[in-house]
């Protein structure tokens, strides 16, 4: 999440982008009435702000990922497929003395780059637990349990269709891509009640947690205990840094890289290193924010006394040294977790996820019997799980909890909205394709069926969900 994607991110991604865009739009406004910079620099800052608003737009990032997936399908059905497939499978090795480490490009994308995506997902999870909906368990109870329904029912549908067959892919239809889903929902603008977006975002966060758990427990290889012990030791070091209130990011990033390598060697899916790393990075500032304004008030006269408006800035050493001290303090106000989120959100949304989509959406249909593919139990199970299981699970659990008095619908949210959320919950891409690759690594035919169904199910859920929500959210629609 699902800070869907969100990491997009899922809420990967949507809320982080919203905060980033807000900060970007505020920067020129703060300087508009102050003669701090030249007009040329102000225009440059405004251009940068525009770029940040674009990269912070969840709908645009979702569109880029969709474009990458479409390009992948097109390339897969042209002569370029063989060249791309050979290039994706080509190993790249790093050798130091007698030690050698090798990864194909596809593994690099799916295991290493996606660990950075999981890092963003973990940041969003921690953000929600610290200041978001997950810090209020009672309010989060309804969407979190609805997410459980949205996981269990699709998995059961898949398992029933594939009983006695490729049942190992049961987790494929359970994941919601919050980046796509919120991107579709954003097309309706202000017609969507804010409470629906909160409900959907919280549901996606819980969905992310369940998908991460499924990957960790069911889709790793036989674990290597020595490498798991090494990963545990690195995790303890990360937790120790947090406990010692160490707020620089560099040691966390270095240890996170070591943690990824240990998990990769252990047989546990290495992308989980991103989530573990996120939960060990400090979410607090090492500056007492309550005292910051008073401290700045004492520094302003000092800066004014040391500034000589007749001297060149290079010669005002006392002034620049005093400003540097203020800069260092101000830099430390932002929590490391938030700084890291700001640094990786755009690369994840506009580089990592599109590359992942292009590499993994290579659905080659040339020479394939389309009728047989459509009737393949894996394709039927995935498609039915996404298009039918998701809305049935989300709506069914929500209805049960509300009617039994365990929970109540948020203010301004009606059953028509919950039904729409259930339909949009069937938009699964990032996590679903990742799980499909883990489930059917050695079975190309089943992997093709799963990927085809994921694409078809996501497009169907998006189209039906958008049409339904446009009707459900129109003015004058019944409230219940």
């Amino acid at each position: 999440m699902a800070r869907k994607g969100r990491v997009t991110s899922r809420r990967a991604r949507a809320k982080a982008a919203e905060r980033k865009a807000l900060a970007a739009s505020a920067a020129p406004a703060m300087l508009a009435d102050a003669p701090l910079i030249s007009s040329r620099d102000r225009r440059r800052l405004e251009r940068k702000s525009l770029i940040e608003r674009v990269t912070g737009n969840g709908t645009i990032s979702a569109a880029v990922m969709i474009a990458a997936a479409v390009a992948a399908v097109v390339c897969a059905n042209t002569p370029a497929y063989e060249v791309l497939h050979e290039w994706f499978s080509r190993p790249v090795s790093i050798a130091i003395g007698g030690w050698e480490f090798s990864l194909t490009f596809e593994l690099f994308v799916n295991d290493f780059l996606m660990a950075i995506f999981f890092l963003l997902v973990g940041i969003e999870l921690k953000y929600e637990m610290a200041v978001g909906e997950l810090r209020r368990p009672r309010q989060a109870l309804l969407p979190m349990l609805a997410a459980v329904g949205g996981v269990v029912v699709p998995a059961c549908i898949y398992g029933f269709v594939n009983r006695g067959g490729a049942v190992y892919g049961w987790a494929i239809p359970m994941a919601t891509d919050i980046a796509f889903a919120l991107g579709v929902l954003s097309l309706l603008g202000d017609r969507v009640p804010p409470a629906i977006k909160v409900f959907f975002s919280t549901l996606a966060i819980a969905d992310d947690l369940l998908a991460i758990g499924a990957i960790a427990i069911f889709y790793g290889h036989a674990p290597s205990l020595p490498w798991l012990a090494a990963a545990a030791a690195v995790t303890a070091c990360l937790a120790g840094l947090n406990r010692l209130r160490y707020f620089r990011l560099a040691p966390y990033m270095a240890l996170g890289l070591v943690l990824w390598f240990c998990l990769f060697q252990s047989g546990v899916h290495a992308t989980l290193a991103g989530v573990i790393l996120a939960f060990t990075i400090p979410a607090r500032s090492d500056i007492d924010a309550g005292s910051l304004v008073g401290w700045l008030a004492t520094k302003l006269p000092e800066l004014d006394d040391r500034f000589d408006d007749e001297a060149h800035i290079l010669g005002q050493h006392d002034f620049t040294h005093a400003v540097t001290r203020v800069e260092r303090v101000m830099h430390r106000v932002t929590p490391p977790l938030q700084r890291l989120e700001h640094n990786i959100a755009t690369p994840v949304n506009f580089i990592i996820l599109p590359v992942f989509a292009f590499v993994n959406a290579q659905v080659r249909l040339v020479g394939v019997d389309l009728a047989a593919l459509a009737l393949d139990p894996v394709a039927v199970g995935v498609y039915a799980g996404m298009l039918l299981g998701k809305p049935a699970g989300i709506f069914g659990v929500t209805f049960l909890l509300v009617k039994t008095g365990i929970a109540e619908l948020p203010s301004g949210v009606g059953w028509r909205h919950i039904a729409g959320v259930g339909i949009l919950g069937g938009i699964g891409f990032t996590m679903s394709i990742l799980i499909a690759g883990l489930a059917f690594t050695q079975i190309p035919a089943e992997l093709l069926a799963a990927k085809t169904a994921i694409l078809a199910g996501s497009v169907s859920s998006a189209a039906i969900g958008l049409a339904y929500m446009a009707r459900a959210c129109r003015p004058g629609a019944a409230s219940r």
Side-chain angles (χ1 to χ4, degrees), residues 171-193:
I172 296 172
M174 78 181 203
T176 297
D177 195 310
I178 191 61
F180 280 172
L182 285 182
V184 170
L185 200 60
S186 69
L187 296 176
L188 298 175
D190 295 336
R191 286 182 288 172
V192 180

PDB file of all heavy atoms in Angstrom, residues 171-193:
ATOM      1  N   ALA A 171      -2.560 -17.674  -3.959  1.00  0.00           N
ATOM      2  CA  ALA A 171      -2.411 -16.300  -3.461  1.00  0.00           C
ATOM      3  C   ALA A 171      -2.415 -15.259  -4.573  1.00  0.00           C
ATOM      4  O   ALA A 171      -2.450 -14.057  -4.286  1.00  0.00           O
ATOM      5  CB  ALA A 171      -1.114 -16.179  -2.654  1.00  0.00           C
ATOM      6  N   ILE A 172      -2.393 -15.694  -5.840  1.00  0.00           N
ATOM      7  CA  ILE A 172      -2.278 -14.735  -6.942  1.00  0.00           C
ATOM      8  C   ILE A 172      -3.425 -13.729  -6.975  1.00  0.00           C
ATOM      9  O   ILE A 172      -3.196 -12.518  -7.097  1.00  0.00           O
ATOM     10  CB  ILE A 172      -2.171 -15.481  -8.297  1.00  0.00           C
ATOM     11  CG1 ILE A 172      -0.886 -16.305  -8.337  1.00  0.00           C
ATOM     12  CG2 ILE A 172      -2.203 -14.498  -9.460  1.00  0.00           C
ATOM     13  CD1 ILE A 172      -0.786 -17.226  -9.548  1.00  0.00           C
ATOM     14  N   PRO A 173      -4.702 -14.152  -6.865  1.00  0.00           N
ATOM     15  CA  PRO A 173      -5.793 -13.170  -7.000  1.00  0.00           C
ATOM     16  C   PRO A 173      -6.097 -12.386  -5.733  1.00  0.00           C
ATOM     17  O   PRO A 173      -7.041 -11.592  -5.717  1.00  0.00           O
ATOM     18  CB  PRO A 173      -6.991 -14.049  -7.384  1.00  0.00           C
ATOM     19  CG  PRO A 173      -6.719 -15.356  -6.719  1.00  0.00           C
ATOM     20  CD  PRO A 173      -5.224 -15.529  -6.763  1.00  0.00           C
ATOM     21  N   MET A 174      -5.310 -12.551  -4.677  1.00  0.00           N
ATOM     22  CA  MET A 174      -5.693 -11.933  -3.414  1.00  0.00           C
ATOM     23  C   MET A 174      -5.177 -10.508  -3.249  1.00  0.00           C
ATOM     24  O   MET A 174      -5.635  -9.775  -2.375  1.00  0.00           O
ATOM     25  CB  MET A 174      -5.189 -12.776  -2.230  1.00  0.00           C
ATOM     26  CG  MET A 174      -3.731 -12.632  -1.918  1.00  0.00           C
ATOM     27  SD  MET A 174      -3.256 -13.683  -0.519  1.00  0.00           S
ATOM     28  CE  MET A 174      -1.781 -12.839   0.069  1.00  0.00           C
ATOM     29  N   ALA A 175      -4.226 -10.087  -4.087  1.00  0.00           N
ATOM     30  CA  ALA A 175      -3.569  -8.800  -3.859  1.00  0.00           C
ATOM     31  C   ALA A 175      -4.229  -7.684  -4.655  1.00  0.00           C
ATOM     32  O   ALA A 175      -4.589  -7.859  -5.822  1.00  0.00           O
ATOM     33  CB  ALA A 175      -2.095  -8.907  -4.234  1.00  0.00           C
ATOM     34  N   THR A 176      -4.397  -6.523  -4.034  1.00  0.00           N
ATOM     35  CA  THR A 176      -4.931  -5.325  -4.683  1.00  0.00           C
ATOM     36  C   THR A 176      -3.789  -4.366  -4.975  1.00  0.00           C
ATOM     37  O   THR A 176      -2.969  -4.089  -4.100  1.00  0.00           O
ATOM     38  CB  THR A 176      -5.965  -4.621  -3.784  1.00  0.00           C
ATOM     39  OG1 THR A 176      -7.074  -5.486  -3.563  1.00  0.00           O
ATOM     40  CG2 THR A 176      -6.457  -3.332  -4.423  1.00  0.00           C
ATOM     41  N   ASP A 177      -3.732  -3.852  -6.198  1.00  0.00           N
ATOM     42  CA  ASP A 177      -2.728  -2.838  -6.536  1.00  0.00           C
ATOM     43  C   ASP A 177      -3.329  -1.473  -6.257  1.00  0.00           C
ATOM     44  O   ASP A 177      -4.104  -0.934  -7.059  1.00  0.00           O
ATOM     45  CB  ASP A 177      -2.319  -2.960  -8.005  1.00  0.00           C
ATOM     46  CG  ASP A 177      -1.043  -2.189  -8.288  1.00  0.00           C
ATOM     47  OD1 ASP A 177      -0.983  -1.011  -7.895  1.00  0.00           O
ATOM     48  OD2 ASP A 177      -0.107  -2.756  -8.881  1.00  0.00           O
ATOM     49  N   ILE A 178      -2.988  -0.913  -5.110  1.00  0.00           N
ATOM     50  CA  ILE A 178      -3.621   0.327  -4.667  1.00  0.00           C
ATOM     51  C   ILE A 178      -3.263   1.495  -5.562  1.00  0.00           C
ATOM     52  O   ILE A 178      -4.036   2.438  -5.725  1.00  0.00           O
ATOM     53  CB  ILE A 178      -3.248   0.634  -3.192  1.00  0.00           C
ATOM     54  CG1 ILE A 178      -4.109   1.764  -2.637  1.00  0.00           C
ATOM     55  CG2 ILE A 178      -1.771   0.955  -3.071  1.00  0.00           C
ATOM     56  CD1 ILE A 178      -5.576   1.472  -2.621  1.00  0.00           C
ATOM     57  N   ALA A 179      -2.088   1.473  -6.200  1.00  0.00           N
ATOM     58  CA  ALA A 179      -1.718   2.564  -7.100  1.00  0.00           C
ATOM     59  C   ALA A 179      -2.686   2.641  -8.269  1.00  0.00           C
ATOM     60  O   ALA A 179      -3.197   3.710  -8.612  1.00  0.00           O
ATOM     61  CB  ALA A 179      -0.295   2.366  -7.607  1.00  0.00           C
ATOM     62  N   PHE A 180      -2.949   1.493  -8.903  1.00  0.00           N
ATOM     63  CA  PHE A 180      -3.911   1.462  -9.994  1.00  0.00           C
ATOM     64  C   PHE A 180      -5.303   1.808  -9.497  1.00  0.00           C
ATOM     65  O   PHE A 180      -6.025   2.591 -10.121  1.00  0.00           O
ATOM     66  CB  PHE A 180      -3.938   0.077 -10.640  1.00  0.00           C
ATOM     67  CG  PHE A 180      -2.812  -0.165 -11.600  1.00  0.00           C
ATOM     68  CD1 PHE A 180      -2.604  -1.416 -12.141  1.00  0.00           C
ATOM     69  CD2 PHE A 180      -1.944   0.858 -11.957  1.00  0.00           C
ATOM     70  CE1 PHE A 180      -1.570  -1.644 -13.037  1.00  0.00           C
ATOM     71  CE2 PHE A 180      -0.900   0.639 -12.845  1.00  0.00           C
ATOM     72  CZ  PHE A 180      -0.714  -0.614 -13.390  1.00  0.00           C
ATOM     73  N   ALA A 181      -5.710   1.193  -8.387  1.00  0.00           N
ATOM     74  CA  ALA A 181      -7.075   1.366  -7.896  1.00  0.00           C
ATOM     75  C   ALA A 181      -7.361   2.821  -7.527  1.00  0.00           C
ATOM     76  O   ALA A 181      -8.388   3.389  -7.923  1.00  0.00           O
ATOM     77  CB  ALA A 181      -7.309   0.455  -6.694  1.00  0.00           C
ATOM     78  N   LEU A 182      -6.450   3.446  -6.773  1.00  0.00           N
ATOM     79  CA  LEU A 182      -6.657   4.850  -6.415  1.00  0.00           C
ATOM     80  C   LEU A 182      -6.505   5.749  -7.637  1.00  0.00           C
ATOM     81  O   LEU A 182      -7.124   6.813  -7.709  1.00  0.00           O
ATOM     82  CB  LEU A 182      -5.684   5.269  -5.315  1.00  0.00           C
ATOM     83  CG  LEU A 182      -6.002   4.747  -3.911  1.00  0.00           C
ATOM     84  CD1 LEU A 182      -4.986   5.268  -2.912  1.00  0.00           C
ATOM     85  CD2 LEU A 182      -7.406   5.127  -3.478  1.00  0.00           C
ATOM     86  N   GLY A 183      -5.662   5.330  -8.578  1.00  0.00           N
ATOM     87  CA  GLY A 183      -5.542   6.095  -9.815  1.00  0.00           C
ATOM     88  C   GLY A 183      -6.859   6.112 -10.572  1.00  0.00           C
ATOM     89  O   GLY A 183      -7.286   7.154 -11.086  1.00  0.00           O
ATOM     90  N   VAL A 184      -7.525   4.966 -10.649  1.00  0.00           N
ATOM     91  CA  VAL A 184      -8.847   4.893 -11.294  1.00  0.00           C
ATOM     92  C   VAL A 184      -9.854   5.721 -10.508  1.00  0.00           C
ATOM     93  O   VAL A 184     -10.644   6.491 -11.081  1.00  0.00           O
ATOM     94  CB  VAL A 184      -9.312   3.425 -11.393  1.00  0.00           C
ATOM     95  CG1 VAL A 184     -10.778   3.345 -11.830  1.00  0.00           C
ATOM     96  CG2 VAL A 184      -8.429   2.656 -12.366  1.00  0.00           C
ATOM     97  N   LEU A 185      -9.825   5.588  -9.182  1.00  0.00           N
ATOM     98  CA  LEU A 185     -10.782   6.315  -8.335  1.00  0.00           C
ATOM     99  C   LEU A 185     -10.592   7.823  -8.462  1.00  0.00           C
ATOM    100  O   LEU A 185     -11.560   8.591  -8.426  1.00  0.00           O
ATOM    101  CB  LEU A 185     -10.607   5.876  -6.882  1.00  0.00           C
ATOM    102  CG  LEU A 185     -11.765   6.121  -5.925  1.00  0.00           C
ATOM    103  CD1 LEU A 185     -13.015   5.395  -6.390  1.00  0.00           C
ATOM    104  CD2 LEU A 185     -11.388   5.670  -4.521  1.00  0.00           C
ATOM    105  N   SER A 186      -9.334   8.272  -8.635  1.00  0.00           N
ATOM    106  CA  SER A 186      -9.060   9.706  -8.735  1.00  0.00           C
ATOM    107  C   SER A 186      -9.645  10.323  -9.994  1.00  0.00           C
ATOM    108  O   SER A 186      -9.821  11.549 -10.072  1.00  0.00           O
ATOM    109  CB  SER A 186      -7.546   9.949  -8.688  1.00  0.00           C
ATOM    110  OG  SER A 186      -6.923   9.469  -9.864  1.00  0.00           O
ATOM    111  N   LEU A 187      -9.962   9.501 -11.005  1.00  0.00           N
ATOM    112  CA  LEU A 187     -10.566  10.022 -12.226  1.00  0.00           C
ATOM    113  C   LEU A 187     -11.946  10.612 -11.969  1.00  0.00           C
ATOM    114  O   LEU A 187     -12.433  11.425 -12.756  1.00  0.00           O
ATOM    115  CB  LEU A 187     -10.667   8.908 -13.277  1.00  0.00           C
ATOM    116  CG  LEU A 187      -9.345   8.332 -13.781  1.00  0.00           C
ATOM    117  CD1 LEU A 187      -9.604   7.175 -14.733  1.00  0.00           C
ATOM    118  CD2 LEU A 187      -8.497   9.411 -14.461  1.00  0.00           C
ATOM    119  N   LEU A 188     -12.555  10.224 -10.851  1.00  0.00           N
ATOM    120  CA  LEU A 188     -13.883  10.745 -10.502  1.00  0.00           C
ATOM    121  C   LEU A 188     -13.798  12.043  -9.716  1.00  0.00           C
ATOM    122  O   LEU A 188     -14.834  12.656  -9.423  1.00  0.00           O
ATOM    123  CB  LEU A 188     -14.660   9.701  -9.693  1.00  0.00           C
ATOM    124  CG  LEU A 188     -14.931   8.379 -10.424  1.00  0.00           C
ATOM    125  CD1 LEU A 188     -15.596   7.383  -9.484  1.00  0.00           C
ATOM    126  CD2 LEU A 188     -15.780   8.606 -11.664  1.00  0.00           C
ATOM    127  N   GLY A 189     -12.584  12.455  -9.350  1.00  0.00           N
ATOM    128  CA  GLY A 189     -12.386  13.741  -8.685  1.00  0.00           C
ATOM    129  C   GLY A 189     -13.052  13.834  -7.329  1.00  0.00           C
ATOM    130  O   GLY A 189     -13.078  12.879  -6.549  1.00  0.00           O
ATOM    131  N   ASP A 190     -13.663  14.991  -7.075  1.00  0.00           N
ATOM    132  CA  ASP A 190     -14.243  15.278  -5.766  1.00  0.00           C
ATOM    133  C   ASP A 190     -15.577  14.571  -5.529  1.00  0.00           C
ATOM    134  O   ASP A 190     -16.157  14.698  -4.449  1.00  0.00           O
ATOM    135  CB  ASP A 190     -14.447  16.788  -5.595  1.00  0.00           C
ATOM    136  CG  ASP A 190     -13.127  17.541  -5.575  1.00  0.00           C
ATOM    137  OD1 ASP A 190     -12.106  16.913  -5.235  1.00  0.00           O
ATOM    138  OD2 ASP A 190     -13.120  18.738  -5.920  1.00  0.00           O
ATOM    139  N   ARG A 191     -16.070  13.865  -6.527  1.00  0.00           N
ATOM    140  CA  ARG A 191     -17.336  13.160  -6.329  1.00  0.00           C
ATOM    141  C   ARG A 191     -17.204  11.997  -5.350  1.00  0.00           C
ATOM    142  O   ARG A 191     -18.186  11.544  -4.769  1.00  0.00           O
ATOM    143  CB  ARG A 191     -17.866  12.629  -7.673  1.00  0.00           C
ATOM    144  CG  ARG A 191     -18.447  13.704  -8.569  1.00  0.00           C
ATOM    145  CD  ARG A 191     -19.000  13.105  -9.849  1.00  0.00           C
ATOM    146  NE  ARG A 191     -17.931  12.668 -10.740  1.00  0.00           N
ATOM    147  CZ  ARG A 191     -18.133  11.967 -11.853  1.00  0.00           C
ATOM    148  NH1 ARG A 191     -19.370  11.606 -12.179  1.00  0.00           N
ATOM    149  NH2 ARG A 191     -17.119  11.621 -12.624  1.00  0.00           N
ATOM    150  N   VAL A 192     -15.980  11.515  -5.172  1.00  0.00           N
ATOM    151  CA  VAL A 192     -15.752  10.388  -4.260  1.00  0.00           C
ATOM    152  C   VAL A 192     -15.621  10.921  -2.835  1.00  0.00           C
ATOM    153  O   VAL A 192     -14.770  11.782  -2.570  1.00  0.00           O
ATOM    154  CB  VAL A 192     -14.469   9.623  -4.643  1.00  0.00           C
ATOM    155  CG1 VAL A 192     -14.240   8.460  -3.687  1.00  0.00           C
ATOM    156  CG2 VAL A 192     -14.560   9.122  -6.081  1.00  0.00           C
ATOM    157  N   PRO A 193     -16.446  10.462  -1.893  1.00  0.00           N
ATOM    158  CA  PRO A 193     -16.348  10.929  -0.504  1.00  0.00           C
ATOM    159  C   PRO A 193     -14.958  10.646   0.072  1.00  0.00           C
ATOM    160  O   PRO A 193     -14.392   9.566  -0.158  1.00  0.00           O
ATOM    161  CB  PRO A 193     -17.421  10.108   0.224  1.00  0.00           C
ATOM    162  CG  PRO A 193     -18.374   9.680  -0.839  1.00  0.00           C
ATOM    163  CD  PRO A 193     -17.547   9.498  -2.076  1.00  0.00           C
TER     164      PRO A 193
END
